[in-house]
Amino acid sequence: MNDDKLKECAEKCVESFNNLTDGMIDEICTQLWENVKDEFTLPKISDVREILNYCWFEALYVDMINDDEIAYAVEGEGDWGTEVGFVIRDNKVIYAGADYLDYIKNV
């Protein structure tokens, strides 16, 4: 892919990330909780978004599927010591948890 296409694709992914809906954020947090709750003992949380107090995100990987589809993975780490991430494809949460790289195809 040429540099202009890569830049355009990356910009679309960043725009999508910056505009995650509340529903998508809740889905990311719910999946993160479900996928890490057996690995890490968290204090009791009253809202699923509180899991974000225990993890952070540092990188966004563009998934170069095609010109029309926005797809990317966001990578981070949790207090439990393992990498975590989530994958967005076509403005839908595909996966959130430790195996996020298994859900992207063309980094």
Side-chain angles (χ1 to χ4, degrees):
M1 189 173 276
N2 68 41
D3 289 339
D4 289 338
K5 285 285 191 188
L6 176 60
K7 180 180 176 191
E8 181 182 335
C9 185
E11 287 172 348
K12 287 179 182 178
C13 291
V14 169
E15 181 180 348
S16 171
F17 174 77
N18 286 336
N19 290 293
L20 291 172
T21 65
D22 285 338
M24 292 169 76
I25 294 169
D26 289 343
E27 179 65 23
I28 291 164
C29 293
T30 298
Q31 286 191 32
L32 281 173
W33 171 252
E34 289 299 317
N35 286 315
V36 302
K37 68 182 179 186
D38 295 332
E39 298 177 38
F40 183 65
T41 303
L42 291 171
K44 185 173 177 156
I45 60 175
S46 58
D47 182 327
V48 71
R49 287 189 182 200
E50 289 179 27
I51 194 165
L52 297 176
N53 294 326
Y54 304 97
C55 54
W56 56 95
F57 299 95
E58 304 167 325
L60 186 147
Y61 297 105
V62 175
D63 192 356
M64 310 281 292
I65 294 175
N66 61 49
D67 292 344
D68 298 327
E69 187 173 48
I70 296 172
Y72 57 93
V74 177
E75 178 181 77
E77 191 171 331
D79 282 350
W80 47 91
T82 59
E83 290 182 342
V84 293
F86 59 90
V87 177
I88 304 294
R89 183 172 297 121
D90 247 359
N91 287 317
K92 295 180 185 98
V93 178
I94 302 301
Y95 175 83
D99 298 322
Y100 60 97
L101 290 177
D102 293 344
Y103 292 84
I104 59 175
K105 297 177 175 81
N106 303 295
V107 177

